[in-house]
């Protein structure tokens, strides 16, 4: 199915936005794509890489923002910037709008307070981040076979929902609908807090003198693949993640409190004063494997890694 | 360089042991390999897969253990079993011995108490685990370009150290020497505690009702690649890991206490009563990336993932 839009504005042509532009071209969309970037150096890069048909810096675009000129507007900027741009929209704006924000409540609240009555803003969260940032990391296949979570603010029309859902499906995505509060709660567990945990782990290990000393002496890192995998997302895109932490602070805090109370139980069972019961640890590991399989829906997809 | 041994005993032909056997053959060693397995079903599998030239179950082997018949003996069993087998060796045994144990202090102490005076036991830790277990997962390339940590018990000869070091190098490994206490301390940080953290994360996420409910409804998992990577090692080989936890309980406990105190600081900075300072979180993420690069010695190897 070909995307049905003639003029698309991707406001925020970073890694995700540039990938969207490339994905649309790859699917032979005839849409004319306009991209908005943050800086003139990004604009130069975008022109060189042909990341979009037309390119503006945010400053240039803000001088005469012609929102009505587009059939579809996709925000590809961090959540806080998305909220700022929503606040700058005319309250009667009836164009089709979406975003690719990692948190939903702030965005949905801004939409509901700015766009009065019926509107066509559906919030999207395509689950295909990467530790890379910048339009030079655009990847035409980024969206293929990935999940896009859709969130409907109050006042959004059913037709807008269908069209945004079809848009993502036309790029090879699967979709599911989750209300804003549940989205932010779930994402704090499966993504936001894990990013903090991953980052914390790198500080914890590297601030250990003995690890440093023997790492310096060794021809190869002292870590195995497990540690490398667990910290792959550590320190990804600091600007974007600091915006996510601010935007979902309450949920992330509660998720980490829950995590901490589980760590406390684990510690009390590991207390060296008490001998370990090997059977108990075997069950713990076995349960973990089963829980992971459930989280990753492996029963449905035995080939997934 | 070809391995120099004529008769090698691999006592414990699991994933690591079977890989060792395959790696020796691939490097066209002329060594005759004898493998010891835990059960008669593993023996049958081993015969079918030609995992070694001769195969015995541990029970069969224990009836008349002819340790002197081998130029090199490699223990590929969990640490607790390794310790038991070391205790069964004659105290005057002078053959060349090593193991592939994930912790060192228990093994080194057993060696020092059993083998009196000069001996030829050098403990090894080839850093190439996998979440798979069983001889059917043997992989001839497992050891190539990986690190092998060597630990010298008191009484081990310099010649034994050189020969064991050459043996691993002949399989394409890099080596580094770390004393037993430092090894167990370092590994609790870079491997053992992370396995527990990874497992803990799966329980924490899957015991969340909201995650379960929307995961069930969704056509794909709600997690991104980050969570999948962070939990890859969750629940790996419960028997082996429960032995590692018992064997290194004290160090793992201390490492997790250090981790917990860092989590406490993070939580106090995330407290929703206080507004976040985005600059501070950007620095936190940037430092994490640098720390990770240092741990993974990326300055030396910019291509490593």
């Amino acid at each position: 199915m070909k995307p049905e839009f003639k003029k698309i504005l991707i406001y925020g042509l970073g890694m995700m936005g540039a990938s969207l532009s490339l994905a649309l071209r790859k699917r032979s969309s005839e849409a004319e794509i306009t991209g908005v970037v943050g800086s003139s150096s990004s604009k130069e890069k975008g022109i060189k890489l042909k990341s979009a048909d037309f390119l503006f810096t945010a400053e240039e675009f803000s001088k005469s923002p012609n929102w009505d000129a587009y059939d579809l507007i996709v925000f590809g900027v961090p959540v806080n910037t998305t909220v700022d741009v929503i606040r700058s929209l005319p309250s009667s704006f009836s164009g089709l709008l979406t975003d690719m924000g990692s948190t939903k409540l702030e965005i949905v609240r801004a939409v509901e307070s700015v766009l009065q009555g019926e509107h066509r803003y559906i919030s999207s969260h395509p689950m295909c981040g990467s530790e890379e940032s910048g339009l030079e990391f655009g990847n035409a296949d980024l969206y293929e076979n990935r999940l896009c979570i859709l969130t409907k603010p109050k006042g959004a029309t059913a037709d807008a929902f269908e069209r945004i859902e079809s848009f993502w499906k036309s790029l090879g995505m699967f979709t599911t609908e989750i209300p804003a509060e549940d989205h932010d709660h779930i994402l704090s567990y499966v993504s936001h807090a894990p990013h903090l945990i991953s980052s914390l782990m790198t500080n914890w290990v590297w601030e250990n003198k003995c690890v440093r000393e023997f790492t310096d002496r060794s021809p190869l890192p002292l870590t195995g693949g497990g540690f490398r995998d667990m910290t792959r997302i550590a320190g990804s895109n600091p600007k974007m993640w600091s915006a996510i932490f601010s935007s979902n602070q309450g949920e992330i805090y509660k998720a980490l409190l829950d995590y901490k109370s589980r760590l406390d139980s684990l510690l009390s069972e590991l207390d060296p004063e008490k001998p370990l019961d090997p059977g108990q640890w075997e069950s713990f590991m076995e349960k973990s494997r089963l829980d992971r399989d459930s989280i990753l829906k492996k029963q449905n997809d035995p080939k997934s890694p």
Side-chain angles (χ1 to χ4, degrees), chain A residues 207-257:
Chain A
E207 284 166 20
N208 183 291
K209 265 192 195 172
C210 189
V211 171
R212 276 186 189 233
E213 183 189 330
F214 284 98
T215 297
D216 285 344
R217 286 194 208 174
S218 171
L220 289 182
L222 299 177
T223 55
F227 185 85
R228 197 178 53 229
D229 285 354
M230 289 188 78
T231 56
R232 183 179 60 76
I233 55 174
S236 11
N237 200 340
K239 229 176 205 34
M240 188 185 88
W241 280 97
S242 119
I244 291 173
F245 300 150
S246 298
S247 169
N248 204 20
Q249 186 179 357
E251 288 293 344
I252 298 171
Y253 182 76
K254 282 186 283 174
L256 281 177
L257 273 188

Side-chain angles (χ1 to χ4, degrees), chain A residues 13 34-37 43 46-47 51-57 60 135:
Chain A
L13 211 67
T34 300
V36 174
V37 294
K43 184 176 167 181
I47 291 169
S51 306
D53 299 304
F54 302 100
L55 275 156
F56 299 99
T57 64
E60 288 165 355
L135 54 80

Side-chain angles (χ1 to χ4, degrees), chain A residues 9 20 61 96 99 105 108-109 158 187 216-217 235 284 298:
Chain A
L9 174 69
L20 183 56
F61 189 85
L96 193 62
D99 61 77
L105 202 56
V108 162
R109 280 188 182 151
L187 268 286
D216 285 344
R217 286 194 208 174
F284 173 74
K298 277 214 176 177

Side-chain angles (χ1 to χ4, degrees), chain A residues 17-301:
Chain A
S19 298
L20 183 56
S21 178
L22 296 175
L24 285 161
R25 284 215 193 117
K26 190 184 167 187
R27 300 256 166 183
S28 41
S29 155
E30 283 148 26
E32 191 185 271
I33 299 163
T34 300
V36 174
V37 294
S39 64
S40 40
S41 72
S42 293
K43 184 176 167 181
E44 275 166 40
K45 258 192 254 171
I47 291 169
K48 219 164 146 185
L49 295 167
K50 297 184 177 143
S51 306
D53 299 304
F54 302 100
L55 275 156
F56 299 99
T57 64
E59 210 191 323
E60 288 165 355
F61 189 85
S62 69
K63 283 179 190 151
S64 57
N66 190 9
W67 300 110
D68 286 318
Y70 306 97
D71 303 324
L72 170 65
I73 296 164
V74 182
F75 298 126
V77 283
V79 174
N80 50 344
T81 315
T82 304
V83 167
D84 290 342
V85 182
I86 290 169
R87 291 204 180 111
S88 79
L89 291 172
S91 69
S92 61
F93 188 64
S94 67
L96 193 62
L97 292 152
T98 193
D99 61 77
M100 306 195 280
S102 303
T103 66
K104 295 293 131 194
L105 202 56
E106 280 198 347
I107 289 175
V108 162
R109 280 188 182 151
V111 169
E112 291 171 354
S113 84
V114 169
L115 301 177
Q116 308 288 325
E118 243 186 24
H119 62 81
R120 304 205 294 151
Y121 193 117
I122 300 296
S123 194
S124 309
H125 185 183
M127 301 280 290
C128 42
S130 140
E131 65 272 42
E132 308 296 1
S133 63
L135 54 80
E136 61 271 37
F137 294 104
N139 162 13
D141 301 322
L142 188 73
Y143 297 93
E144 223 153 304
N145 293 316
R146 309 301 287 268
L147 183 69
C148 187
I149 301 174
L150 297 173
T151 302
K152 203 156 63 180
K154 268 177 223 145
T157 66
D159 175 67
F161 188 89
E162 268 173 39
R163 292 188 71 196
I164 294 291
E165 187 172 36
S166 304
F167 173 71
W168 294 117
K169 285 188 171 166
S170 77
L171 297 174
M173 299 199 88
F174 293 82
T175 59
T176 195
E177 188 184 348
I178 306 186
E181 287 84 352
D182 294 321
H183 172 280
D184 290 2
H185 175 74
I186 292 169
L187 268 286
S188 70
Y189 274 77
V190 302
S191 171
H192 308 164
H195 266 79
L196 283 168
I197 293 170
S198 182
S199 299
L200 194 67
M201 286 178 71
T202 62
N203 305 157
W204 165 62
V205 164
W206 192 240
E207 284 166 20
N208 183 291
K209 265 192 195 172
C210 189
V211 171
R212 276 186 189 233
E213 183 189 330
F214 284 98
T215 297
D216 285 344
R217 286 194 208 174
S218 171
L220 289 182
L222 299 177
T223 55
F227 185 85
R228 197 178 53 229
D229 285 354
M230 289 188 78
T231 56
R232 183 179 60 76
I233 55 174
S236 11
N237 200 340
K239 229 176 205 34
M240 188 185 88
W241 280 97
S242 119
I244 291 173
F245 300 150
S246 298
S247 169
N248 204 20
Q249 186 179 357
E251 288 293 344
I252 298 171
Y253 182 76
K254 282 186 283 174
L256 281 177
L257 273 188
D258 176 10
Y259 174 73
K260 187 191 118 112
S261 80
R262 289 160 184 276
L263 180 62
D264 284 337
S265 313
L266 192 81
L267 271 163
S268 82
E269 283 163 22
L270 266 177
D271 187 341
E273 307 279 304
K274 298 182 279 183
L276 286 189
D277 167 8
Q280 181 198 336
W281 291 95
E282 280 183 50
S283 321
F284 173 74
M285 295 299 278
E286 269 151 20
K287 179 173 182 308
S288 302
R289 163 82 72 170
L290 293 176
D291 283 355
R292 181 177 191 257
D293 287 351
S294 303
I295 296 164
L296 300 183
K297 294 177 84 78
K298 277 214 176 177
Q299 57 279 41
N300 298 334
D301 179 10

